Amino acid sequence: MMSIGLALAILGAALAVILAGIGSVLGVGIAGQVASGVVSEDPEKFGKALLLQALPGTQGIYGFLGAIMVLQKVGLLGGEVINLTPEVGWQIFFACLPIAIAGLISGLFQGKVSAAGMGIVAKKPAESGKAIILSAMVETYAVLGLLATILLLNGIQVG
């Protein structure tokens, strides 16, 4: 039978994947809608539009990475599954929240910035690097969320 501590750790890992993934879905979807309009006017701009659309997709990858770290830490990816106390389970659960929440919010807003950047791609394609930089600034906070999750997970003693 699964312990409450292990269930909490798995719940934290699931939230990291689900919430950061939702952020990516929303962001990529928003940017993709605008990119479709830009490409319909000028198919030559597909590559630049695709890059801007893809940027919000990284949050889902970060959430997945956080979840993999949890599953590895508790032994669910090989090795022996560790029977966690509820206190350790809560620690792992809360350690997953930075990437879960930062991934959700930054994915959404990075999609909005990428969508706005499509205007630069449409009107001044030579300046499209600036749109990428503006969008990447939002990504910084997803990276910080992932780093916080990694540092917190590394500080938790299991077993």
Side-chain angles (χ1 to χ4, degrees), residues 78-98:
E80 188 173 325
V81 177
I82 299 170
N83 191 13
L84 301 175
T85 64
E87 291 80 16
V88 173
W90 279 116
Q91 289 174 2
I92 293 174
F93 175 84
F94 284 113
C96 292
L97 293 183

Side-chain angles (χ1 to χ4, degrees), residues 35-114:
S36 296
V38 170
V39 173
S40 71
E41 292 290 324
D42 185 359
E44 295 292 320
K45 295 175 180 161
F46 174 76
K48 291 177 180 177
L50 178 64
L51 180 60
L52 275 174
Q53 183 192 7
L55 285 175
T58 56
Q59 281 80 353
I61 296 169
Y62 298 158
F64 183 72
L65 180 61
I68 292 294
M69 290 187 67
V70 168
L71 298 178
Q72 191 171 21
K73 189 169 192 81
V74 301
L76 286 172
L77 291 181
E80 188 173 325
V81 177
I82 299 170
N83 191 13
L84 301 175
T85 64
E87 291 80 16
V88 173
W90 279 116
Q91 289 174 2
I92 293 174
F93 175 84
F94 284 113
C96 292
L97 293 183
I99 187 52
I101 296 169
L104 171 66
I105 296 171
S106 70
L108 173 63
F109 282 94
Q110 191 172 26
K112 291 181 177 183
V113 173
S114 290

